[in-house]
Amino acid sequence: MDPGSFLLLLLLLLLLSILGAPGLGDPGPLEDVVIDRYYIPKICLREAQMGDFIRYHYNGTFKDGKKFDSSYDRGATVAGVVGVGRLITGMDRGLQGMCVNERRHLIVPPHLGYGSIGVAGLIPPDATLYFDVVMLDIWNKKDKLQITPLSRPPHCNRTVESSDFVRYHYNGTLLDGTPFDSSYSKNSTYDTYVGTGWLIKGMDQGLLGMCAGEKRSIIIPPFLAYGEKGYGSVIPPQASLVFSVLLVDFHNPKDGVSLEHLEVPEPCKRRAVSGDFVRYHYNGTLMDGTLFDSSYSRNHTYNTYIGKGYIIPGMDQGLQGVCMGERRRVVIPPHLAYGENGAGDRIPGSAVLVFDVHVIDFHNPEDPVEMETLYRPEGCNLTTGHRDFIRYHYNCSLMDGTKLFSSHDYEKPQEVTLGTNKVIEGLNRGLLGMCAGERRVLIVPPHLGHGESGARGVPGSAVLRFEVELISMEEGVPEGYLFIWHGEPPDGLYEHMDLNKDGEIPAEEFSTFIKTQVAEGKGRLMPSSDPDKVIADMFRNQDRNQDGRITPEELKLKADEDQEKIHEEL
C-alpha cells in the first residue's frame, strides 16, 4: 500500500470513530439523545410539540439488543404529555417533532435516561437505552374539531341543524389510520338525532352544516370523543378519531312535505284537490339518488284518489294543487312516508323519499264535460240536438298530447246519430248544441269516456281531449221512430199510399209514397246514410204477416201502436 492510500485510510478510521460507527470502537459518552428518523410519512399534518398529548408504541433494548421493556408486550400504547418532564429527558427530547406514523430509533445516554441509579431489577446504572418508537396520535387541549369537506352537492337547499335526525355512512379510524368501525361493513347507515347527546360531542358538532349527499372528514380530539377511558378494545384511551362521513339524508320530526315546482304549464285552468283522481308518472329515489321505484319501468301511470288515504300521507299532500302536465319534486320526511320501519328491502327505515312526479291528468267523479268553443259561425240558428244525424271530424288525444285517434286518418268524416249510444257519453254531450262549421275542444272525464278499464289504445281512467268540427247535420226523429210527419198525416192514409188503387200496397208503392212526402217537405225519415234501408225497415214493420204487401188492417201509425200498448198494459 502506498503512503498516500495508508494516510487516507487512517483519516477515514478516525472520522468513523468520532461518529460512533458500530463495530469500529467505542465513540465515548453521548452528550445528547441520538435520533434516527428512519421512516417519515409523505404527509405530515402536524409535528409533536412541547405540551402536546401523544400516543405511541415502543420497544426498549440495551446496546446488546436485550429487551427491557415494550408497550407491544403490554398490548397498550403509551399516552402522555411530551416535553414537560413526565418522561425521561431523552425520550422527551426524542419524541418532539415527530409526525403521526413516523418511526424513529433513539439512543438515550445514561444522564438523559435513568442515570447512575437505574431501575432496580430492570435497568442497571449508567445504562445507554435504545428505543424503537412509532408515533400514533398527537393532540392538544387547545385543539378544535377539524372538518375537511371532501365533496358537496351543487344544490343544497338545507343543512343539518341540532335536533335533526340523520342517516349517514362512515369509516372510523384512529389518527394513524387503524380502522375501528365502519357502517359499510354492516350494510346499514347509522341513524340518530344530532345535538341531543346521542353521539360523542365531536360527531354531534361535526355533522352540523352538512348537506344531504355531502362527504367530509372529521378529526375529533379525545376530549370530544371517548377521552381517557377509550371504548372497549377498539378505541384506546386518549385516542383521536378520524371519521370519513357520507350524509345520506336527514330530516326533522317537525318537517312537512317540501315541494319544488319543476315545470308548471300555462295556463293552468284547474288544480287538483282532495277527492280528485290523479294519473301520474314518477321516479322515487332516496336522498342520495338511489332509485327505489318508478312507474316508467312498468310503462303504466300510477292512478289513485288524493286526499283519501289511499297513498302515503306525504304524497297525499304533495299532489294537492297540481296542474295537468305539471312536473314537481315532492320531498317527504319518513314520518309522512314509511316511518322507522321502511318498506321492503328498497326503502330503509327513517328514509326521506324524493318523488319526481309528472301529472298526466286528473278528474273528479262529479266532473262534467268541459267545452271550449274555438269557432262558431255567425247567424247560427240551427244547432244539433238529440237524435240528430251528424257528420264531424275529430282528433282525440290524452291530456299529455299523446295522439290516440283521428277521423282525418279516414276518407270521410265520422257519422253518428246523437243519443243512440254509438259514441262515448262525453263526446255525445259535447256534440250537442253545435252549428255546422263550429269547432270545439272537449275535455271528457273517464266516467263519461272509457271508464276505469279504458279501451283499445285508451288507458284506464284516462281523461280525453277531443278537437271536433261539425261538418253537417240532419234533423232527427224521436226514439223508436223511423219517419215522422211535419204536420198531421193525410186523411185516408191507406188510400193515398195505394197508388194504383188495387187494395194492397207492395214495397215499391210504399217506397215511392214515403219518398214523395220527404221531397215535398211533409215528413222526414230517420237520418241515415241509406234512406232506402230506413224505408225497407218501415215496410217490414207494417207488413205484419211478411207476405210482401200491406193491407188496410196492417197499416198503423206508431202513435196508434203506442196507444194500443198502453191499453193492453192497463
PDB file of all heavy atoms in Angstrom, residues 392 414-429 431:
ATOM      1  N   TYR A 392    -118.954  14.691 -38.620  1.00  0.00           N
ATOM      2  CA  TYR A 392    -117.984  15.561 -37.929  1.00  0.00           C
ATOM      3  C   TYR A 392    -116.581  14.977 -38.057  1.00  0.00           C
ATOM      4  O   TYR A 392    -116.384  13.775 -38.260  1.00  0.00           O
ATOM      5  CB  TYR A 392    -118.352  15.710 -36.449  1.00  0.00           C
ATOM      6  CG  TYR A 392    -118.273  14.433 -35.650  1.00  0.00           C
ATOM      7  CD1 TYR A 392    -117.185  14.144 -34.841  1.00  0.00           C
ATOM      8  CD2 TYR A 392    -119.308  13.488 -35.696  1.00  0.00           C
ATOM      9  CE1 TYR A 392    -117.115  12.968 -34.106  1.00  0.00           C
ATOM     10  CE2 TYR A 392    -119.251  12.312 -34.975  1.00  0.00           C
ATOM     11  CZ  TYR A 392    -118.145  12.058 -34.168  1.00  0.00           C
ATOM     12  OH  TYR A 392    -118.071  10.890 -33.450  1.00  0.00           O
ATOM     13  N   GLN A 414    -116.627  11.257 -39.592  1.00  0.00           N
ATOM     14  CA  GLN A 414    -117.360  10.320 -38.747  1.00  0.00           C
ATOM     15  C   GLN A 414    -118.855  10.646 -38.836  1.00  0.00           C
ATOM     16  O   GLN A 414    -119.241  11.809 -38.922  1.00  0.00           O
ATOM     17  CB  GLN A 414    -116.888  10.450 -37.295  1.00  0.00           C
ATOM     18  CG  GLN A 414    -117.510   9.475 -36.340  1.00  0.00           C
ATOM     19  CD  GLN A 414    -116.846   8.108 -36.411  1.00  0.00           C
ATOM     20  OE1 GLN A 414    -115.844   7.942 -37.094  1.00  0.00           O
ATOM     21  NE2 GLN A 414    -117.414   7.143 -35.728  1.00  0.00           N
ATOM     22  N   GLU A 415    -119.703   9.611 -38.818  1.00  0.00           N
ATOM     23  CA  GLU A 415    -121.151   9.808 -38.875  1.00  0.00           C
ATOM     24  C   GLU A 415    -121.781   9.137 -37.659  1.00  0.00           C
ATOM     25  O   GLU A 415    -121.389   8.036 -37.276  1.00  0.00           O
ATOM     26  CB  GLU A 415    -121.734   9.200 -40.157  1.00  0.00           C
ATOM     27  CG  GLU A 415    -121.199   9.830 -41.429  1.00  0.00           C
ATOM     28  CD  GLU A 415    -121.758   9.169 -42.683  1.00  0.00           C
ATOM     29  OE1 GLU A 415    -122.336   8.058 -42.542  1.00  0.00           O
ATOM     30  OE2 GLU A 415    -121.633   9.738 -43.767  1.00  0.00           O
ATOM     31  N   VAL A 416    -122.758   9.795 -37.057  1.00  0.00           N
ATOM     32  CA  VAL A 416    -123.427   9.214 -35.912  1.00  0.00           C
ATOM     33  C   VAL A 416    -124.777   9.888 -35.709  1.00  0.00           C
ATOM     34  O   VAL A 416    -124.957  11.062 -36.058  1.00  0.00           O
ATOM     35  CB  VAL A 416    -122.572   9.358 -34.639  1.00  0.00           C
ATOM     36  CG1 VAL A 416    -122.508  10.806 -34.161  1.00  0.00           C
ATOM     37  CG2 VAL A 416    -123.075   8.450 -33.532  1.00  0.00           C
ATOM     38  N   THR A 417    -125.712   9.131 -35.178  1.00  0.00           N
ATOM     39  CA  THR A 417    -126.972   9.707 -34.704  1.00  0.00           C
ATOM     40  C   THR A 417    -126.828   9.936 -33.210  1.00  0.00           C
ATOM     41  O   THR A 417    -126.563   8.988 -32.457  1.00  0.00           O
ATOM     42  CB  THR A 417    -128.149   8.763 -34.985  1.00  0.00           C
ATOM     43  OG1 THR A 417    -128.269   8.561 -36.398  1.00  0.00           O
ATOM     44  CG2 THR A 417    -129.449   9.361 -34.453  1.00  0.00           C
ATOM     45  N   LEU A 418    -126.932  11.167 -32.782  1.00  0.00           N
ATOM     46  CA  LEU A 418    -126.736  11.510 -31.388  1.00  0.00           C
ATOM     47  C   LEU A 418    -127.777  10.818 -30.508  1.00  0.00           C
ATOM     48  O   LEU A 418    -128.945  10.705 -30.884  1.00  0.00           O
ATOM     49  CB  LEU A 418    -126.802  13.023 -31.196  1.00  0.00           C
ATOM     50  CG  LEU A 418    -125.707  13.829 -31.908  1.00  0.00           C
ATOM     51  CD1 LEU A 418    -125.953  15.327 -31.751  1.00  0.00           C
ATOM     52  CD2 LEU A 418    -124.333  13.460 -31.378  1.00  0.00           C
ATOM     53  N   GLY A 419    -127.330  10.361 -29.365  1.00  0.00           N
ATOM     54  CA  GLY A 419    -128.245   9.740 -28.417  1.00  0.00           C
ATOM     55  C   GLY A 419    -128.550   8.298 -28.678  1.00  0.00           C
ATOM     56  O   GLY A 419    -129.507   7.756 -28.113  1.00  0.00           O
ATOM     57  N   THR A 420    -127.760   7.641 -29.512  1.00  0.00           N
ATOM     58  CA  THR A 420    -128.021   6.229 -29.822  1.00  0.00           C
ATOM     59  C   THR A 420    -126.926   5.316 -29.259  1.00  0.00           C
ATOM     60  O   THR A 420    -126.798   4.162 -29.661  1.00  0.00           O
ATOM     61  CB  THR A 420    -128.125   6.025 -31.341  1.00  0.00           C
ATOM     62  OG1 THR A 420    -126.914   6.501 -31.969  1.00  0.00           O
ATOM     63  CG2 THR A 420    -129.321   6.787 -31.904  1.00  0.00           C
ATOM     64  N   ASN A 421    -126.118   5.866 -28.344  1.00  0.00           N
ATOM     65  CA  ASN A 421    -125.061   5.091 -27.678  1.00  0.00           C
ATOM     66  C   ASN A 421    -124.015   4.552 -28.644  1.00  0.00           C
ATOM     67  O   ASN A 421    -123.422   3.495 -28.404  1.00  0.00           O
ATOM     68  CB  ASN A 421    -125.664   3.930 -26.870  1.00  0.00           C
ATOM     69  CG  ASN A 421    -126.588   4.395 -25.769  1.00  0.00           C
ATOM     70  OD1 ASN A 421    -126.286   5.366 -25.073  1.00  0.00           O
ATOM     71  ND2 ASN A 421    -127.717   3.719 -25.619  1.00  0.00           N
ATOM     72  N   LYS A 422    -123.811   5.274 -29.711  1.00  0.00           N
ATOM     73  CA  LYS A 422    -122.798   4.860 -30.679  1.00  0.00           C
ATOM     74  C   LYS A 422    -121.442   5.485 -30.383  1.00  0.00           C
ATOM     75  O   LYS A 422    -120.419   5.054 -30.933  1.00  0.00           O
ATOM     76  CB  LYS A 422    -123.238   5.241 -32.095  1.00  0.00           C
ATOM     77  CG  LYS A 422    -124.545   4.586 -32.544  1.00  0.00           C
ATOM     78  CD  LYS A 422    -124.447   3.071 -32.557  1.00  0.00           C
ATOM     79  CE  LYS A 422    -125.741   2.437 -33.075  1.00  0.00           C
ATOM     80  NZ  LYS A 422    -125.677   0.957 -33.059  1.00  0.00           N
ATOM     81  N   VAL A 423    -121.411   6.532 -29.564  1.00  0.00           N
ATOM     82  CA  VAL A 423    -120.156   7.160 -29.146  1.00  0.00           C
ATOM     83  C   VAL A 423    -120.185   7.272 -27.621  1.00  0.00           C
ATOM     84  O   VAL A 423    -121.242   7.137 -26.989  1.00  0.00           O
ATOM     85  CB  VAL A 423    -119.965   8.551 -29.774  1.00  0.00           C
ATOM     86  CG1 VAL A 423    -119.797   8.445 -31.284  1.00  0.00           C
ATOM     87  CG2 VAL A 423    -121.108   9.486 -29.427  1.00  0.00           C
ATOM     88  N   ILE A 424    -119.031   7.517 -27.015  1.00  0.00           N
ATOM     89  CA  ILE A 424    -118.996   7.662 -25.562  1.00  0.00           C
ATOM     90  C   ILE A 424    -119.870   8.840 -25.146  1.00  0.00           C
ATOM     91  O   ILE A 424    -120.043   9.805 -25.891  1.00  0.00           O
ATOM     92  CB  ILE A 424    -117.557   7.854 -25.048  1.00  0.00           C
ATOM     93  CG1 ILE A 424    -116.892   9.062 -25.717  1.00  0.00           C
ATOM     94  CG2 ILE A 424    -116.734   6.593 -25.258  1.00  0.00           C
ATOM     95  CD1 ILE A 424    -115.524   9.388 -25.163  1.00  0.00           C
ATOM     96  N   GLU A 425    -120.398   8.763 -23.938  1.00  0.00           N
ATOM     97  CA  GLU A 425    -121.377   9.747 -23.477  1.00  0.00           C
ATOM     98  C   GLU A 425    -120.798  11.163 -23.464  1.00  0.00           C
ATOM     99  O   GLU A 425    -121.477  12.135 -23.811  1.00  0.00           O
ATOM    100  CB  GLU A 425    -121.869   9.369 -22.075  1.00  0.00           C
ATOM    101  CG  GLU A 425    -122.869  10.335 -21.471  1.00  0.00           C
ATOM    102  CD  GLU A 425    -124.149  10.475 -22.293  1.00  0.00           C
ATOM    103  OE1 GLU A 425    -124.446   9.544 -23.077  1.00  0.00           O
ATOM    104  OE2 GLU A 425    -124.826  11.509 -22.153  1.00  0.00           O
ATOM    105  N   GLY A 426    -119.517  11.302 -23.075  1.00  0.00           N
ATOM    106  CA  GLY A 426    -118.922  12.633 -23.024  1.00  0.00           C
ATOM    107  C   GLY A 426    -118.845  13.289 -24.384  1.00  0.00           C
ATOM    108  O   GLY A 426    -119.087  14.496 -24.529  1.00  0.00           O
ATOM    109  N   LEU A 427    -118.522  12.503 -25.415  1.00  0.00           N
ATOM    110  CA  LEU A 427    -118.471  13.045 -26.769  1.00  0.00           C
ATOM    111  C   LEU A 427    -119.870  13.367 -27.249  1.00  0.00           C
ATOM    112  O   LEU A 427    -120.108  14.401 -27.899  1.00  0.00           O
ATOM    113  CB  LEU A 427    -117.786  12.044 -27.699  1.00  0.00           C
ATOM    114  CG  LEU A 427    -117.645  12.458 -29.161  1.00  0.00           C
ATOM    115  CD1 LEU A 427    -116.889  13.772 -29.297  1.00  0.00           C
ATOM    116  CD2 LEU A 427    -116.949  11.361 -29.962  1.00  0.00           C
ATOM    117  N   ASN A 428    -120.821  12.507 -26.953  1.00  0.00           N
ATOM    118  CA  ASN A 428    -122.211  12.756 -27.346  1.00  0.00           C
ATOM    119  C   ASN A 428    -122.700  14.092 -26.772  1.00  0.00           C
ATOM    120  O   ASN A 428    -123.297  14.909 -27.475  1.00  0.00           O
ATOM    121  CB  ASN A 428    -123.103  11.617 -26.857  1.00  0.00           C
ATOM    122  CG  ASN A 428    -124.504  11.663 -27.452  1.00  0.00           C
ATOM    123  OD1 ASN A 428    -124.748  11.090 -28.503  1.00  0.00           O
ATOM    124  ND2 ASN A 428    -125.417  12.360 -26.793  1.00  0.00           N
ATOM    125  N   ARG A 429    -122.408  14.320 -25.475  1.00  0.00           N
ATOM    126  CA  ARG A 429    -122.828  15.573 -24.855  1.00  0.00           C
ATOM    127  C   ARG A 429    -122.113  16.768 -25.479  1.00  0.00           C
ATOM    128  O   ARG A 429    -122.708  17.837 -25.663  1.00  0.00           O
ATOM    129  CB  ARG A 429    -122.541  15.537 -23.356  1.00  0.00           C
ATOM    130  CG  ARG A 429    -123.358  14.516 -22.594  1.00  0.00           C
ATOM    131  CD  ARG A 429    -123.090  14.601 -21.107  1.00  0.00           C
ATOM    132  NE  ARG A 429    -123.730  13.516 -20.374  1.00  0.00           N
ATOM    133  CZ  ARG A 429    -123.720  13.401 -19.045  1.00  0.00           C
ATOM    134  NH1 ARG A 429    -123.094  14.315 -18.307  1.00  0.00           N
ATOM    135  NH2 ARG A 429    -124.317  12.377 -18.447  1.00  0.00           N
ATOM    136  N   LEU A 431    -121.132  17.170 -28.451  1.00  0.00           N
ATOM    137  CA  LEU A 431    -121.554  17.450 -29.829  1.00  0.00           C
ATOM    138  C   LEU A 431    -122.955  18.071 -29.890  1.00  0.00           C
ATOM    139  O   LEU A 431    -123.408  18.469 -30.973  1.00  0.00           O
ATOM    140  CB  LEU A 431    -121.534  16.154 -30.644  1.00  0.00           C
ATOM    141  CG  LEU A 431    -120.144  15.590 -30.956  1.00  0.00           C
ATOM    142  CD1 LEU A 431    -120.255  14.173 -31.511  1.00  0.00           C
ATOM    143  CD2 LEU A 431    -119.392  16.491 -31.938  1.00  0.00           C
TER     144      LEU A 431
END
